[in-house]
C-alpha cells in the first residue's frame, strides 16, 4: 500500500544523443581546445545539454534550465544542478570563442568516420528574423521568411554531398547573397583546407566578381543563372534544338547544353577585360509548366489583376496624379516580375482612367520559357555530362532540407538574444543538433534503413527512469530499450571504437 512512483525523467533520447556525441568525440575536442576553462560550470556538459535540448524539445534558454532538471542529465552532471540562465549564457560565450576550432575537429572526425568528400560543396543563405530590436547584426533586408517588417540576420550554411554541415557563417541582415561568396570560399580554404572543389549555389550568388574568385582558386562552379539575363541565347538555342531534342534524364528533367563566349569586365586600373568560354546547361521541367496552373495565361492573369487593382484605385479617386499612377503600375508589375509583358497609356492629371494591353510578342517568349531553368558552369564536358551537372545542381535540396529541419524542428527561432556572439552561438547549437540528426540518418542508411533523424530520436523518448518509493525504500528504475533501440546503440558505440 505504501508503494508509489515519483520523479519520471527522460533517459532514452538522452542516451542516444550521448552516444552520437561520443561518436563524434565532442568532449575530447572541447577538452583539447578549451582545457584552460575556469568556468564553474563545465562547457562540455552545458554544450551537450544545449544541443540535446534542440534535438529533443527546443525551448528558450530560460525554460532550458527547467528542462534539464527533467532529464537524466541532472543525475549525470553535477555542473547542471541548480542551474541559472546566466551560467548558460557564460557557457555560450566560451563555446562561441572556440566554434571554428570545433567545426574543424568535427569535420576531420567525420572524414575518418564516413569518408566524406569535399570534391563538391553546396552553399546557400537563409534568414532568421527578430520580433524585437535584436543584436547589432539584425538589419532589415530581403526576408526569406516573408517578414520584411522585422530585423533579421542572414546565415549561410555549407554542406557536403552526403548532407553533413561543415560550417556556417552569420551575416548582417541586409547582406546580399552574392556578397558572401568570397568570404565563405576563403573561410573554407583557410580553416578546412578545401582547396579545389565544385562550388554549387543558387542564382543569388552569380556575379562576375564571384566567378573570378572561384576561377582564381582553380575551382569549378555550378550556379543557376537568371533566365532573363540569358533569355536571348536560350531562345536561340531552343530554335536550334527544340525541346523534343533534349535528353530526357527523368520525367521532370530534360537537358540540353551550349557553349558561349563572354566578356568579364575587369577593373580599369588593375586588370583587363577577360574573354572566357562558359558552358550553359538548359533544363526543362514539363511538370512545372502545368503545376498550379502555371501556364502563360496564368502568369499573364497575375499581371492583369495587378493592373485592375490600380484601375480600381484610380476610379475610386485614391490616386489621380499621372506620375503616381505610373509609379504604382510599375511597382505592382515589378513585384511579380511582369513589368516587361504589359504596356499602358496614362493620360495627363487628373487621371480618370487609363489603357493597358498585353505585349503579344513578349507573351510568346514567356510561353517558350515556361518550365525552363538554366545552369552556368565551367566544368568541361569530358569531366561531367550535362545530365550530371543538372542532377548535381538539384542536390542543392540537401541544404533546403537542412534549413527546413533547423527551422521547423530544431527551432532556430525565436532567437531571444541581443548579443551578436550569442546569436552566432545559438545558430551553432541548432546546426549541431541537425548534424547529430544527420549522422543518425547516415548510420541508419549504412544499415540499410531509411529514417528521419528527429523522428527516430522521438521514439527513444519513450524510455524513462522513475523513482520507486515504499516507506524508506528508494530505487530508481529505467524502462527497457526495445531490441531495435539496443541494437542501434550498440552499433553506434562499435562505429566509434572501430575508428
Amino acid at each position: 500500500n505504501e508503494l508509489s512512483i515519483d520523479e519520471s525523467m527522460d533517459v532514452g533520447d538522452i542516451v542516444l544523443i550521448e552516444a552520437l556525441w561520443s561518436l563524434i568525440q565532442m568532449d575530447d575536442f572541447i577538452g583539447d581546445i578549451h582545457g584552460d576553462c575556469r568556468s564553474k560550470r563545465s562547457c562540455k556538459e552545458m554544450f551537450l545539454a544545449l544541443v540535446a535540448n534542440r534535438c529533443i524539445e527546443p525551448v528558450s534558454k530560460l525554460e532550458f534550465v527547467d528542462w534539464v532538471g527533467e532529464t537524466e542529465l541532472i543525475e549525470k552532471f553535477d555542473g547542471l544542478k541548480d542551474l541559472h540562465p546566466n551560467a548558460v549564457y557564460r557557457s555560450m560565450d566560451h563555446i562561441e570563442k572556440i566554434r571554428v576550432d570545433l567545426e574543424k575537429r568535427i569535420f576531420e572526425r567525420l572524414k575518418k568516420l564516413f569518408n566524406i568528400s569535399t570534391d563538391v560543396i553546396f552553399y546557400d543563405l537563409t534568414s532568421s528574423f527578430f520580433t524585437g530590436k535584436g543584436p547589432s547584426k539584425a538589419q532589415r533586408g530581403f526576408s526569406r521568411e516573408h517578414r520584411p517588417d522585422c530585423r533579421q540576420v542572414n546565415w549561410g550554411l555549407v554542406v557536403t554531398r552526403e548532407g553533413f554541415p561543415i560550417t556556417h557563417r552569420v551575416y548582417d541582415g541586409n547582406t546580399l547573397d552574392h556578397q558572401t561568396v568570397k568570404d565563405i570560399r576563403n573561410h573554407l580554404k583557410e580553416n578546412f583546407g578545401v582547396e579545389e572543389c565544385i562550388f554549387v549555389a543558387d542564382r543569388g550568388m552569380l556575379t562576375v566578381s564571384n566567378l573570378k574568385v572561384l576561377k582564381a582558386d582553380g575551382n569549378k562552379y555550378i550556379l543557376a543563372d537568371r533566365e532573363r539575363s540569358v533569355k536571348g541565347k536560350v531562345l536561340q538555342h531552343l530554335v536550334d534544338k527544340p525541346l523534343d531534342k533534349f535528353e530526357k534524364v527523368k520525367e521532370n528533367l530534360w537537358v540540353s547544353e551550349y557553349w558561349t563566349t563572354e566578356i568579364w569586365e575587369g577593373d580599369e586600373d588593375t586588370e583587363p577585360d577577360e574573354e572566357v568560354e562558359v558552358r550553359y546547361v538548359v533544363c526543362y521541367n514539363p511538370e512545372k509548366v502545368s503545376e498550379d496552373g502555371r501556364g502563360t495565361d496564368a502568369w499573364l492573369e497575375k499581371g492583369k489583376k495587378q493592373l485592375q487593382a490600380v484601375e480600381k484605385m484610380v476610379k475610386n479617386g485614391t490616386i489621380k496624379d499621372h506620375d503616381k499612377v505610373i509609379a504604382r503600375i510599375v511597382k505592382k508589375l515589378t513585384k511579380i516580375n511582369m513589368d516587361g509583358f504589359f504596356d499602358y497609356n496614362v493620360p495627363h492629371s487628373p487621371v480618370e482612367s487609363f489603357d493597358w494591353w498585353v505585349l503579344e510578342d513578349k507573351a510568346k517568349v514567356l510561353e517558350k520559357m515556361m518550365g525552363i531553368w538554366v545552369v552556368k558552369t565551367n566544368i568541361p564536358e569530358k569531366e561531367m555530362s550535362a545530365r550530371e551537372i543538372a542532377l548535381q545542381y538539384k542536390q542543392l535540396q540537401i541544404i533546403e532540407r537542412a534549413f527546413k529541419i533547423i527551422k521547423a524542428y530544431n527551432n532556430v527561432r525565436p532567437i531571444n538574444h541581443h548579443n551578436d556572439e550569442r546569436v552566432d552561438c545559438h545558430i551553432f547549437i541548432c546546426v549541431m543538433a541537425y548534424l547529430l540528426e544527420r549522422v543518425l540518418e547516415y548510420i541508419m542508411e549504412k544499415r540499410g534503413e531509411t529514417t528521419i533523424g528527429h523522428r527516430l530520436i522521438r521514439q527513444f523518448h519513450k524510455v524513462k527512469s522513475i523513482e520507486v518509493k515504499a516507506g524508506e525504500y528508494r530505487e530508481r528504475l529505467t524502462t527497457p530499450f526495445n531490441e531495435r533501440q539496443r541494437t542501434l546503440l550498440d552499433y553506434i558505440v562499435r562505429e566509434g571504437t572501430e575508428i
Side-chain angles (χ1 to χ4, degrees), residues 467-488:
E467 187 173 61
V468 179
K469 299 179 181 179
E472 295 182 358
Y473 173 80
R474 298 285 188 278
E475 183 71 23
R476 181 161 287 280
L477 304 175
T478 302
T479 58
F481 293 93
N482 61 39
E483 184 177 351
R484 182 170 181 264
Q485 292 169 336
R486 177 56 61 190
T487 301
L488 175 58

Side-chain angles (χ1 to χ4, degrees), residues 348-448:
H348 296 296
S349 304
V351 181
E352 300 293 338
S353 65
F354 64 93
D355 299 320
W356 56 267
W357 56 92
V358 176
L359 295 172
E360 296 297 338
D361 56 334
K362 297 294 181 71
K364 290 178 180 178
V365 171
L366 179 64
E367 184 174 357
K368 288 184 179 180
M369 294 297 289
M370 283 285 108
I372 294 287
W373 51 280
V374 186
V375 172
K376 187 174 188 174
T377 183
N378 62 342
I379 302 176
E381 295 175 59
K382 62 182 180 181
E383 292 184 19
M384 192 175 289
S385 66
R387 63 184 293 146
E388 290 173 320
I389 288 172
L391 290 171
Q392 201 70 258
Y393 175 78
K394 286 179 72 68
Q395 288 300 305
L396 261 179
Q397 62 186 335
I398 292 173
I399 292 193
E400 293 174 7
R401 178 181 185 271
F403 284 150
K404 180 179 179 180
I405 291 174
I406 292 170
K407 290 185 174 186
Y409 296 99
N410 305 133
N411 287 18
V412 72
R413 284 203 64 261
I415 306 177
N416 299 310
H417 298 286
H418 305 281
N419 173 290
D420 285 334
E421 288 73 22
R422 287 177 187 168
V423 169
D424 292 358
C425 186
H426 170 78
I427 294 175
F428 179 41
I429 291 166
C430 295
V431 171
M432 277 300 304
Y434 172 73
L435 172 64
L436 294 188
E437 292 165 4
R438 180 61 196 136
V439 167
L440 181 58
E441 292 172 349
Y442 197 77
I443 288 172
M444 297 300 290
E445 290 166 9
K446 290 180 66 177
R447 300 180 67 218

Side-chain angles (χ1 to χ4, degrees), residues 129-143:
F129 69 88
F130 298 79
T131 52
K133 183 179 179 181
S136 62
K137 283 185 179 180
Q139 302 290 332
R140 284 190 173 87
F142 174 69
S143 176

Side-chain angles (χ1 to χ4, degrees), residues 86-100:
N86 285 339
V88 179
Y89 300 142
R90 282 195 294 269
S91 292
M92 290 177 67
D93 293 340
H94 286 287
I95 293 164
E96 176 55 26
K97 289 178 182 177
I98 62 172
R99 175 172 64 84
V100 175

